[in-house]
Amino acid sequence: MTFFNKLGLLNTFWPLILPSIISGMLIFLCKQFFDQLPDTLREAAQIDGAGEFKIFFRVYLPLAGPIAATMVILSFIWSWNDFMWPLVVINDLNLQTIPLYLASFSLENGSSLGGLTMALATVSVLPIVIVYLFLQKYIIQSIALSGVKGE
């Protein structure tokens, strides 16, 4: 938090976006995906005279669509559902995330508004479902490809 405070980024959306870009779990997931690709792809590209950058951009990157979609979905879900970090870095009521708003709404005026809180919680899940529906074919591809070993 002090890092974002020194940069003057508190009470903005940047402290919510920047930490979710790089995640150890997503890096490991990406590494495992590239490790399972067959070495014959690299060898064939080297025989054709391709350098390291050309191999990466012409061979490996086009195959990374499913894992990229999986990483986007996981990162989006983790960021969307995060409660503690936005509570620490955002004080402005206009910038509150959905979980923060739900928590403050459910205890408004000292009474619990159960039905309305449940309706808001149901509506707050819709963006996650929509993102999943659009990218589900990529998730299924990444899961299906993870069981295939090249050699």
Side-chain angles (χ1 to χ4, degrees):
M1 183 171 123
T2 59
F3 175 72
F4 290 110
N5 191 19
K6 287 180 182 177
L7 293 176
L9 295 177
L10 292 182
N11 286 323
T12 65
F13 285 120
W14 288 110
L16 303 179
I17 296 169
L18 293 176
S20 65
I21 291 174
I22 299 174
S23 167
M25 199 303 207
L26 296 180
I27 291 171
F28 179 74
L29 184 69
C30 193
K31 181 210 175 293
Q32 290 301 107
F33 177 81
F34 283 113
D35 281 350
Q36 64 91 25
L37 291 176
D39 290 333
T40 54
L41 293 173
R42 178 186 192 85
E43 293 168 0
Q46 284 176 337
I47 290 172
D48 289 341
E52 293 299 322
F53 286 112
K54 193 170 188 177
I55 291 172
F56 179 74
F57 286 110
R58 296 276 175 112
V59 177
Y60 288 140
L61 205 55
L63 296 174
I67 195 64
T70 303
M71 290 169 58
V72 166
I73 289 173
L74 290 176
S75 181
F76 177 75
I77 289 172
W78 293 335
S79 297
W80 187 265
N81 290 330
D82 199 9
F83 181 79
M84 289 303 291
W85 181 244
L87 184 64
V88 171
V89 296
I90 294 180
N91 295 327
D92 188 5
L93 294 178
N94 294 327
L95 297 176
Q96 278 188 338
T97 60
I98 301 289
L100 289 178
Y101 181 73
L102 279 173
S104 67
F105 182 78
S106 65
L107 298 175
E108 189 173 304
N109 298 327
S111 65
S112 179
L113 305 170
L116 201 50
T117 303
M118 285 293 129
L120 283 174
T122 303
V123 170
S124 74
V125 173
L126 289 178
I128 294 173
V129 171
I130 290 170
V131 167
Y132 175 75
L133 289 176
F134 280 115
L135 298 176
Q136 74 178 348
K137 68 177 182 178
Y138 295 108
I139 293 176
I140 292 169
Q141 284 177 1
S142 71
I143 292 170
L145 290 176
S146 67
V148 177
K149 186 62 182 164
E151 294 179 44

